[in-house]
Amino acid sequence: MLFIGICGASGSGKTTLARELVRDIGADCVVLNQDAYYLDHPGLTYEERAKLNYDEPGIFDHDLLYQDVCALLSGKPITRKAYDFTEHRRADTEEIIFPAQVVILEGIHAFYDERLRDLMFLKLYINVEPDICLLRRISRDIKKRGRQIDSIAAQYLSTVKPMYDLYIRNYIHDADVVVMKGGKETRIVPILAGYVQSTLRRAD
């Protein structure tokens, strides 16, 4: 089994890169989204939950994510975790995720936990200009998360950009490969997929 991490700014194309890799690798793959592992805060009101900093590392349940990754890598199934972005609450499911030849984790703080970094066969960092990421984030949050432009702008200025400057942009130093132009970079995906395929063949 191989564990691959994909890190980068919000809106950089992490999910797209993961999807493109799964398609080109062709082997049995599982993708975990770090966004599904936000800590739950049932004791807070909706207004209080909306004001939380969702871009800082401490907002994630790193222990649960680590446990799930370790379970998959040891051949054990897990249940799929999920998050409701409209209510800012966990929405875990009973769907079973079975172990696969390749496990891919994508998220803004995918490289934060040293325990996870040490397990990664390949660490990919997507390097995209912040203004491009912002435009992508606006489009995504309006279409998929029911957000309004005012709240998106306020969140970007108060948490997204400061956390990018403090943490996320520095994860580039942990990467094995820096991917330019976002998740739809057509040249790098076949190269990465070929490398993963050859490694899997050598392991057989």
Side-chain angles (χ1 to χ4, degrees), residues 14 27 38 50-51 71 89 95 98 101 120 128-129 143 146 148 194 199-200 202-203:
K14 298 179 297 297
Y38 279 120
K51 292 179 181 178
R89 288 292 310 276
E95 178 188 351
F98 293 97
Q101 289 179 288
M120 291 175 182
V128 178
E129 290 296 326
K143 293 178 180 178
Q148 300 297 318
T199 303
L200 289 173
R202 289 197 301 270

Side-chain angles (χ1 to χ4, degrees), residues 1-4 21 24-29 101-104 121-122 124 189-203:
M1 293 182 182
L2 299 179
F3 180 37
I4 298 173
L21 279 175
D24 277 28
I25 290 172
D28 189 22
C29 300
Q101 289 179 288
V102 179
V103 177
I104 300 174
F121 160 73
L122 193 60
L124 310 177
V189 170
I191 295 172
L192 293 171
Y195 177 55
V196 171
Q197 289 168 339
S198 65
T199 303
L200 289 173
R201 285 194 295 269
R202 289 197 301 270

Side-chain angles (χ1 to χ4, degrees), residues 121-173:
F121 160 73
L122 193 60
K123 297 183 289 294
L124 310 177
Y125 183 89
I126 304 183
N127 192 23
V128 178
E129 290 296 326
D131 54 347
I132 301 297
C133 293
L134 174 58
L135 292 174
R136 292 176 179 173
R137 181 185 176 101
I138 291 172
S139 176
R140 179 201 66 193
D141 284 2
I142 291 175
K143 293 178 180 178
K144 297 183 179 180
R145 300 183 179 178
R147 304 280 176 83
Q148 300 297 318
I149 187 67
D150 289 347
S151 67
I152 297 171
Q155 185 181 28
Y156 181 81
L157 292 174
S158 63
T159 64
V160 178
K161 186 61 164 58
M163 293 300 99
Y164 171 79
D165 290 337
L166 183 60
Y167 293 104
I168 300 169
R169 71 176 181 180
N170 295 314
Y171 291 138
I172 194 171
H173 303 297

Side-chain angles (χ1 to χ4, degrees), residues 74-140:
S74 63
K76 300 175 183 177
I78 64 172
T79 56
R80 183 175 294 282
K81 309 307 185 291
Y83 195 79
D84 184 342
F85 290 94
T86 59
E87 293 296 324
H88 304 294
R89 288 292 310 276
R90 285 285 288 276
D92 294 347
T93 74
E94 297 299 319
E95 178 188 351
I96 302 298
I97 300 178
F98 293 97
Q101 289 179 288
V102 179
V103 177
I104 300 174
L105 169 66
E106 62 90 3
I108 58 174
H109 291 293
F111 296 169
Y112 175 78
D113 191 331
E114 183 179 1
R115 298 172 300 176
L116 286 174
R117 290 201 314 270
D118 289 344
L119 293 173
M120 291 175 182
F121 160 73
L122 193 60
K123 297 183 289 294
L124 310 177
Y125 183 89
I126 304 183
N127 192 23
V128 178
E129 290 296 326
D131 54 347
I132 301 297
C133 293
L134 174 58
L135 292 174
R136 292 176 179 173
R137 181 185 176 101
I138 291 172
S139 176
R140 179 201 66 193

Side-chain angles (χ1 to χ4, degrees), residues 32-102:
L32 299 179
N33 307 105
Q34 190 179 36
D35 283 355
Y37 288 82
Y38 279 120
L39 289 166
D40 201 14
H41 298 278
L44 300 181
T45 66
Y46 172 83
E47 289 74 18
E48 289 171 330
R49 294 196 300 271
K51 292 179 181 178
L52 294 173
N53 183 348
Y54 288 92
D55 295 274
E56 66 152 332
I59 199 71
F60 295 99
D61 192 339
H62 296 284
D63 288 338
L64 180 59
L65 176 55
Y66 176 70
Q67 291 169 14
D68 277 359
V69 169
C70 287
L72 289 173
L73 295 179
S74 63
K76 300 175 183 177
I78 64 172
T79 56
R80 183 175 294 282
K81 309 307 185 291
Y83 195 79
D84 184 342
F85 290 94
T86 59
E87 293 296 324
H88 304 294
R89 288 292 310 276
R90 285 285 288 276
D92 294 347
T93 74
E94 297 299 319
E95 178 188 351
I96 302 298
I97 300 178
F98 293 97
Q101 289 179 288
V102 179

